[in-house]
Amino acid sequence: MINVTVWGENRHEQLEPEVAKRYPNGMHGAIAEGIEANLGEAVTVRTATLDDPEHGLSEEVLRGTDVLTWWGHAAHAEVSDEVVERVQRHVLAGMGLIVLHSGHWSKVFTRLMGTSCTLRWRSEHDRELLWTVDPTHPIAQGVPHPMVIEEDEMYGEFFDIPTPDELVFLSSFSGGEVFRSGCTFKRGFGKIFYFRPGDQDFPTYFHPGVRKVLSNAVEWAVTVRPERTGPVLLRYDTEDFYNGHGYEGALDPDKQQEAQQ
Amino acid sequence: MINVTVWGENRHEQLEPEVAKRYPNGMHGAIAEGIEANLGEAVTVRTATLDDPEHGLSEEVLRGTDVLTWWGHAAHAEVSDEVVERVQRHVLAGMGLIVLHSGHWSKVFTRLMGTSCTLRWRSEHDRELLWTVDPTHPIAQGVPHPMVIEEDEMYGEFFDIPTPDELVFLSSFSGGEVFRSGCTFKRGFGKIFYFRPGDQDFPTYFHPGVRKVLSNAVEWAVTVRPERTGPVLLRYDTEDFYNGHGYEGALDPDKQQEAQQ
Amino acid sequence: MINVTVWGENRHEQLEPEVAKRYPNGMHGAIAEGIEANLGEAVTVRTATLDDPEHGLSEEVLRGTDVLTWWGHAAHAEVSDEVVERVQRHVLAGMGLIVLHSGHWSKVFTRLMGTSCTLRWRSEHDRELLWTVDPTHPIAQGVPHPMVIEEDEMYGEFFDIPTPDELVFLSSFSGGEVFRSGCTFKRGFGKIFYFRPGDQDFPTYFHPGVRKVLSNAVEWAVTVRPERTGPVLLRYDTEDFYNGHGYEGALDPDKQQEAQQ
Amino acid sequence: MINVTVWGENRHEQLEPEVAKRYPNGMHGAIAEGIEANLGEAVTVRTATLDDPEHGLSEEVLRGTDVLTWWGHAAHAEVSDEVVERVQRHVLAGMGLIVLHSGHWSKVFTRLMGTSCTLRWRSEHDRELLWTVDPTHPIAQGVPHPMVIEEDEMYGEFFDIPTPDELVFLSSFSGGEVFRSGCTFKRGFGKIFYFRPGDQDFPTYFHPGVRKVLSNAVEWAVTVRPERTGPVLLRYDTEDFYNGHGYEGALDPDKQQEAQQ
């Protein structure tokens, strides 16, 4: 059983009637339904949004989350640094993370990538074709080659990300731009998938192919490690390879200082 | 002419007499001398330390720096977030960065990597052998295979970094541990090299092979791009591929919010 | 159910009494037993050797093989080019391949890599420590970090292979050498794992950790694609993305010539 | 001074009058002129073709070649295996190799890649846009982003190559297909660049942007190693890291057998 938390910013749905009409259960609702439709009893899906206390991402929620999906756009800056750090810590300890579309510019993603995650864009009804360049990747199974999305926002290169560990999908747009649309990254003990399609102005999250990719990605992102603990800095005596000791807590600057003295 | 800024924390040298004796001009001094000895008139090397105003890394200094080297250890937490963000911004805009030894746990490096950058360690007079696994890499030229460092601190795997773009060197230690000792990463328009050897308790920065690697890395890290500007998010009209317009400033959260609305 | 074929050269066992004593069922027998011991009813394991007709690797056998393991050493040159080409074709069409130890210099491996696959070596009772550098990789699960192999042949860098898609294990030896001991490569639709430990002069294939790695690798190497067909060159009309036509058979030079005329 | 050998199949030019008219000095002539126009006195460029003795690629010619460019199409099968093996040996020993367009299916390239190197294609006057995804790569300097090629043959994914070490360019076509158009690979001590644009039916090799890429690639592909010797398999005694002894000649199967006995 995979525990999935679908996080949605949920602002466009509140502010723009046409988005609310397009996504009557919210974009997060459409994403959650797509995953449930494909994975059925293999998943438990809950949703969380920006306006929930702690954005719905308390320590307890994250501890119980195998895979977190992230969609944000208009309010990246409103996400609290504390929650961002918490999400990062859980990813490094093994939680899967799927970053969707405009989530490329979220604090969570830019912090995990270390780059600006900028790109070129245009919202003008381009047709998107999504091509598979890694046909043996689990995330690409059962996905048309190419997948046709009749209308979507355009994202184009240069996309300022670290070189992905695996490049799974490339998109072209009717205007001629190209984009690395499906990318995997390992960070710490966590697996991250960035997936480009999806926009508040288009019904992308009802597209069966997009839903298939999201569902494959959920299954792929679950760690095979048995426990939720992050990498630590430890001292090891000569010939004692298994019993590290010393300071822990890599992300706490106060302890970092002590640890290596 | 390459403008190099050698940044040193310079705390051990002030607090521990034996370190001051080992490195009479500071560790930063020894690093700077090694680069000058190898590259001569091709470089201008200046040093900067934690206790300088703005840690010696003002906007003006960074703008005039082609390659920055970073050594820190005991006082990572004292480096101001403002300077860290400034360094990151310049790296993404094309400044080369060479992170040395215990700099693995610096704010600058962990921010650019997005991971904990933790590892295992022991300071017990291990012999280090540094092996080249990418023999055509410019950083490996003129470096013995293996390079022998008679005594040095041990760093061992697992080293929690993103998969490097290029793995240049691997180290083994007499205790049996191994480490990815020479790793390259591209981030934004900048080139980053992490190099493991070097410690306050050993005279590593006087080792001719270590100095050769540092000097090769300085030459390698200089960008081939003509100007110091970072990646930006821009909107492009259909069929107008060259004239982006819109919001800039990827690292400013306030602008990020506006930019995609 | 995974169909595994364990291929063994089986020459040392016939020519050297001490090897026959060490591996009474042949090295291939020990490898097969280790996989069966770990995977039980999930696998069907058969063995094949050099002296079998067609080296035991007929078209029919390969068509029924999900994962092939390969150990050879003294008689690489005796493997027929026809069988090598057949194995390559099946790998490109999705058969998993696990290349073991001295198999690094086999025709099968060098043909799939395109490089010399040379290295440095010494058979002098070195202790090997095998360290995990990709702790979330399925092949590394349940494997001690480090795995200690009390005595084994030494292999050291430079190992002339293409940069692996994933670097899973690094070895150090008591003599100080290091080696990229666990490497994955995708070629065509097939997944390849190279694993270093294992020698006719040491009982390595009875080591529980080595057997665990082999068994993990068998599970990992099974393709997720539903059919055994290789990539082909096809012509596609404009806007007809799914119905390619033209010449097939990339590995037949006669057809290659016709295909692009 | 860089010694460049431009190899051309030179069959279309002899058999098809319109190709001869388009490329009056042969396609190899146009390629050579483009490199000379950009690099001037820094290069010495010679050409060689299929119908020359030993295809113009004798041991002596290759020994004097820093970078070889390869264009073939209709007659891949006529290239002798002996010359293919010789080219491979020189690449592994450090000769740079630039494979152009339909050279993707040459014996030289498929042998170095180990895969089928198949793809989808269409020759129907598509417009090609070539986008840079690695803006700090030397091969991308001075190249428009995107580069527009008004008419060219289409190549589309899936392109069956190993994951490139570096992905420099992506192409889109007006029909909607995408392609990994600029890819680097290290093999042995040699550097390889595959570049997609260029066809006998279009004047692609007169395009200033294409010529700039070819010229950048020539400079990039020159090895930094001082001598032309390939990787070898050698035995090393304990603690004698620098004096290997034993058998050499990795690509000679007879010696391979002896070497590891």
Side-chain angles (χ1 to χ4, degrees):
Chain A
M1 173 66 76
I2 307 171
N3 292 297
V4 182
T5 300
V6 172
W7 192 85
E9 185 184 280
N10 196 31
R11 283 291 165 83
H12 289 283
E13 297 92 324
Q14 296 181 60
L15 298 169
E16 300 174 289
E18 69 280 13
V19 177
K21 191 174 168 194
R22 188 173 298 116
Y23 288 105
N25 298 321
M27 300 183 72
H28 50 284
I31 292 165
E33 290 155 19
I35 294 167
E36 285 169 332
N38 277 284
L39 299 182
E41 310 241 318
V43 286
T44 302
V45 183
R46 75 182 118 186
T47 61
T49 64
L50 181 62
D51 291 334
D52 294 338
E54 301 185 66
H55 312 322
L57 300 174
S58 66
E59 179 65 28
E60 191 189 342
V61 167
L62 292 183
R63 203 182 296 126
T65 298
D66 297 308
V67 181
L68 174 69
T69 75
W70 192 276
W71 193 97
H73 181 231
H76 291 318
E78 293 180 47
V79 177
S80 85
D81 289 338
E82 189 186 344
V83 169
V84 170
E85 189 155 335
R86 192 184 296 155
V87 169
Q88 180 185 26
R89 180 164 42 79
H90 275 275
V91 170
L92 298 185
M95 184 178 71
L97 176 68
I98 300 173
V99 177
L100 297 169
H101 189 64
S102 46
H104 74 88
W105 228 11
S106 62
K107 288 184 184 179
V108 161
F109 191 59
T110 54
R111 187 181 193 110
L112 281 159
M113 296 294 104
T115 59
S116 72
C117 300
T118 49
L119 46 80
R120 67 172 63 201
W121 67 281
R122 174 180 61 240
S123 192
E124 290 288 351
H125 306 274
D126 278 77
R127 181 182 73 174
E128 176 174 10
L129 298 178
L130 190 99
W131 300 86
T132 298
V133 291
D134 190 348
T136 63
H137 201 285
I139 297 179
Q141 302 314 303
V143 176
H145 178 69
M147 185 200 298
V148 181
I149 301 173
E150 288 301 339
E151 288 193 318
D152 211 346
E153 189 181 16
M154 179 282 286
Y155 280 6
E157 298 281 345
F158 173 63
F159 183 21
D160 177 26
I161 49 171
T163 298
D165 293 340
E166 299 168 309
L167 180 61
V168 184
F169 301 117
L170 289 177
S171 289
S172 71
F173 296 86
S174 40
E177 288 85 358
V178 295
F179 198 72
R180 289 170 289 173
S181 278
C183 302
T184 78
F185 307 88
K186 286 183 181 172
R187 292 295 182 269
F189 298 151
K191 298 165 81 177
I192 301 172
F193 181 62
Y194 174 79
F195 188 55
R196 196 216 80 81
D199 193 70
Q200 73 280 0
D201 293 333
F202 301 95
T204 315
Y205 291 119
F206 295 105
H207 188 293
V210 169
R211 289 180 157 201
K212 178 66 174 162
V213 170
L214 295 182
S215 305
N216 287 346
V218 162
E219 291 188 299
W220 169 86
V222 178
T223 185
V224 292
R225 293 175 61 89
E227 54 186 39
R228 178 69 58 88
T229 55
V232 289
L233 189 144
L234 293 172
R235 188 188 183 285
Y236 285 79
D237 292 329
T238 303
E239 286 295 314
D240 183 358
F241 299 123
Y242 306 110
N243 302 292
H245 45 92
Y247 297 86
E248 299 195 3
L251 295 174
D252 179 340
D254 293 328
K255 287 191 181 165
Q256 284 185 28
Q257 182 180 356
E258 295 161 36
Q260 294 200 325
Q261 280 176 344
Chain B
M1 174 65 77
I2 306 171
N3 292 298
V4 181
T5 301
V6 172
W7 192 85
E9 185 185 279
N10 196 31
R11 282 291 164 81
H12 290 282
E13 298 92 322
Q14 296 182 59
L15 297 169
E16 300 175 288
E18 69 280 13
V19 177
K21 192 175 170 193
R22 188 173 298 116
Y23 288 106
N25 298 321
M27 301 182 71
H28 49 285
I31 292 166
E33 290 155 20
I35 294 168
E36 285 169 332
N38 277 284
L39 299 182
E41 310 239 320
V43 287
T44 301
V45 183
R46 74 181 118 188
T47 61
T49 64
L50 181 63
D51 291 335
D52 294 338
E54 301 185 66
H55 312 322
L57 300 173
S58 67
E59 179 66 28
E60 191 189 343
V61 166
L62 291 183
R63 203 181 298 126
T65 299
D66 297 308
V67 180
L68 175 69
T69 74
W70 192 277
W71 194 98
H73 180 230
H76 291 318
E78 292 180 47
V79 177
S80 85
D81 289 338
E82 189 186 346
V83 169
V84 170
E85 189 154 336
R86 192 185 295 155
V87 169
Q88 180 185 25
R89 180 164 41 81
H90 275 275
V91 170
L92 299 185
M95 183 178 72
L97 176 68
I98 300 173
V99 176
L100 297 169
H101 189 64
S102 46
H104 73 89
W105 227 12
S106 62
K107 287 183 183 178
V108 161
F109 191 58
T110 54
R111 189 183 191 107
L112 281 159
M113 296 294 105
T115 58
S116 72
C117 301
T118 50
L119 46 78
R120 65 172 65 201
W121 66 282
R122 174 179 62 241
S123 193
E124 290 287 351
H125 305 275
D126 278 76
R127 180 181 75 173
E128 176 174 9
L129 298 178
L130 190 100
W131 299 86
T132 298
V133 291
D134 189 349
T136 63
H137 201 285
I139 296 180
Q141 302 314 302
V143 177
H145 177 69
M147 184 199 298
V148 181
I149 301 174
E150 288 300 338
E151 289 193 319
D152 210 346
E153 189 180 17
M154 179 282 286
Y155 279 7
E157 297 282 346
F158 173 64
F159 183 22
D160 177 26
I161 50 171
T163 298
D165 292 340
E166 299 168 309
L167 181 61
V168 184
F169 300 119
L170 289 178
S171 289
S172 72
F173 296 86
S174 39
E177 288 86 358
V178 295
F179 198 71
R180 289 170 289 174
S181 278
C183 301
T184 78
F185 307 88
K186 286 184 181 172
R187 291 297 182 266
F189 298 151
K191 298 166 81 178
I192 302 172
F193 181 61
Y194 174 80
F195 189 54
R196 196 217 79 82
D199 193 71
Q200 73 279 0
D201 293 332
F202 301 96
T204 316
Y205 291 119
F206 295 105
H207 188 294
V210 169
R211 289 179 157 201
K212 178 66 174 162
V213 170
L214 295 181
S215 304
N216 287 346
V218 162
E219 290 188 299
W220 169 86
V222 179
T223 185
V224 292
R225 293 174 62 89
E227 53 186 39
R228 177 69 57 88
T229 57
V232 289
L233 189 144
L234 292 172
R235 188 188 182 286
Y236 286 79
D237 292 330
T238 303
E239 287 294 315
D240 182 359
F241 300 123
Y242 306 111
N243 302 293
H245 45 92
Y247 298 85
E248 299 195 4
L251 294 174
D252 179 339
D254 293 329
K255 287 190 180 165
Q256 285 184 27
Q257 183 180 355
E258 295 162 38
Q260 295 200 323
Q261 283 175 341
Chain C
M1 173 67 76
I2 306 171
N3 293 297
V4 181
T5 300
V6 172
W7 192 85
E9 185 185 280
N10 197 32
R11 283 291 166 83
H12 289 283
E13 298 91 325
Q14 297 181 59
L15 298 169
E16 300 174 290
E18 69 280 13
V19 176
K21 191 174 168 192
R22 189 174 297 114
Y23 288 106
N25 298 321
M27 301 183 71
H28 49 285
I31 292 166
E33 290 155 19
I35 295 168
E36 286 168 333
N38 276 285
L39 300 182
E41 310 240 320
V43 286
T44 302
V45 183
R46 75 182 119 187
T47 61
T49 64
L50 181 63
D51 293 333
D52 294 338
E54 300 185 66
H55 312 323
L57 299 174
S58 66
E59 179 65 29
E60 191 190 342
V61 167
L62 292 183
R63 203 180 298 125
T65 298
D66 297 308
V67 181
L68 174 69
T69 74
W70 192 277
W71 193 98
H73 180 231
H76 290 319
E78 293 180 46
V79 177
S80 85
D81 288 339
E82 189 186 345
V83 169
V84 170
E85 189 154 334
R86 191 184 297 156
V87 169
Q88 180 185 25
R89 180 164 41 80
H90 275 275
V91 170
L92 299 185
M95 184 179 69
L97 176 68
I98 301 173
V99 176
L100 297 170
H101 190 64
S102 45
H104 73 88
W105 228 12
S106 62
K107 288 183 182 178
V108 161
F109 192 58
T110 54
R111 187 181 191 109
L112 281 159
M113 296 294 104
T115 58
S116 72
C117 300
T118 49
L119 46 78
R120 66 172 63 202
W121 66 282
R122 174 180 61 240
S123 192
E124 291 287 350
H125 306 273
D126 277 77
R127 181 181 74 173
E128 175 174 9
L129 299 178
L130 190 99
W131 300 85
T132 297
V133 291
D134 190 348
T136 63
H137 201 284
I139 296 180
Q141 301 315 302
V143 177
H145 178 69
M147 184 200 299
V148 181
I149 301 174
E150 288 302 338
E151 289 192 319
D152 211 347
E153 191 181 15
M154 179 282 286
Y155 279 6
E157 297 282 344
F158 173 63
F159 183 22
D160 177 26
I161 49 170
T163 299
D165 292 341
E166 298 169 308
L167 180 61
V168 184
F169 300 119
L170 289 177
S171 289
S172 72
F173 295 87
S174 39
E177 287 85 359
V178 295
F179 198 72
R180 289 170 288 173
S181 278
C183 302
T184 78
F185 307 88
K186 285 183 182 172
R187 291 297 182 268
F189 298 151
K191 298 166 81 178
I192 301 171
F193 181 61
Y194 174 80
F195 188 54
R196 195 217 80 81
D199 194 69
Q200 74 279 1
D201 293 333
F202 301 96
T204 316
Y205 291 120
F206 295 105
H207 188 293
V210 169
R211 290 180 157 201
K212 179 65 175 162
V213 170
L214 296 182
S215 305
N216 287 346
V218 162
E219 291 188 299
W220 169 86
V222 178
T223 184
V224 291
R225 292 174 62 89
E227 53 185 41
R228 177 69 57 87
T229 55
V232 290
L233 188 144
L234 293 173
R235 187 187 184 286
Y236 285 79
D237 291 331
T238 303
E239 286 294 315
D240 182 358
F241 300 122
Y242 305 111
N243 302 294
H245 44 92
Y247 298 86
E248 299 195 2
L251 295 174
D252 179 341
D254 293 329
K255 287 190 179 163
Q256 285 185 28
Q257 182 181 355
E258 296 161 37
Q260 294 200 325
Q261 282 176 341
Chain D
M1 174 65 77
I2 306 172
N3 292 297
V4 182
T5 300
V6 172
W7 192 85
E9 185 185 279
N10 197 32
R11 282 290 165 84
H12 290 283
E13 298 92 324
Q14 297 182 58
L15 298 169
E16 300 175 289
E18 69 279 13
V19 177
K21 192 174 169 194
R22 189 174 297 115
Y23 289 106
N25 298 321
M27 301 183 71
H28 49 285
I31 292 165
E33 289 155 20
I35 294 168
E36 285 169 332
N38 277 284
L39 299 182
E41 311 241 318
V43 287
T44 302
V45 184
R46 75 181 119 188
T47 61
T49 65
L50 181 63
D51 292 333
D52 295 338
E54 300 184 65
H55 312 322
L57 299 174
S58 66
E59 179 64 30
E60 191 188 343
V61 167
L62 291 183
R63 203 181 296 125
T65 299
D66 297 309
V67 181
L68 174 69
T69 75
W70 192 277
W71 193 98
H73 180 230
H76 291 318
E78 293 181 45
V79 177
S80 85
D81 289 338
E82 189 186 345
V83 169
V84 170
E85 190 154 334
R86 192 184 296 156
V87 169
Q88 180 185 25
R89 180 164 41 80
H90 275 275
V91 170
L92 298 185
M95 183 178 71
L97 177 69
I98 301 173
V99 176
L100 297 170
H101 190 63
S102 45
H104 73 89
W105 227 12
S106 62
K107 288 183 183 178
V108 161
F109 191 57
T110 54
R111 189 181 190 109
L112 281 159
M113 296 294 105
T115 58
S116 73
C117 301
T118 49
L119 45 78
R120 66 171 65 201
W121 66 282
R122 174 180 62 240
S123 192
E124 290 287 351
H125 305 275
D126 278 76
R127 180 180 74 173
E128 177 174 8
L129 298 178
L130 190 100
W131 299 86
T132 298
V133 290
D134 189 349
T136 63
H137 201 284
I139 296 180
Q141 302 314 301
V143 177
H145 178 70
M147 184 199 299
V148 181
I149 301 174
E150 288 300 339
E151 287 192 320
D152 210 347
E153 190 181 17
M154 179 282 285
Y155 280 5
E157 298 282 347
F158 171 63
F159 183 22
D160 177 26
I161 49 170
T163 299
D165 293 340
E166 298 168 311
L167 181 61
V168 184
F169 300 118
L170 289 178
S171 289
S172 72
F173 296 86
S174 38
E177 288 86 358
V178 295
F179 198 71
R180 289 170 289 173
S181 278
C183 301
T184 78
F185 307 89
K186 286 183 181 173
R187 291 296 182 268
F189 298 151
K191 297 166 82 178
I192 302 172
F193 181 60
Y194 175 80
F195 187 54
R196 197 217 77 82
D199 193 71
Q200 73 278 1
D201 292 332
F202 301 96
T204 316
Y205 291 119
F206 295 104
H207 188 295
V210 169
R211 289 180 157 201
K212 179 65 175 161
V213 170
L214 294 182
S215 305
N216 287 345
V218 162
E219 291 189 298
W220 169 86
V222 179
T223 185
V224 291
R225 293 174 62 89
E227 53 185 40
R228 177 69 57 88
T229 56
V232 289
L233 188 144
L234 293 173
R235 187 188 183 286
Y236 285 79
D237 292 330
T238 304
E239 287 295 314
D240 182 358
F241 300 122
Y242 306 111
N243 302 293
H245 44 92
Y247 297 86
E248 300 195 2
L251 294 174
D252 179 339
D254 293 329
K255 287 190 181 165
Q256 284 185 29
Q257 183 180 356
E258 294 161 39
Q260 294 200 325
Q261 284 176 340

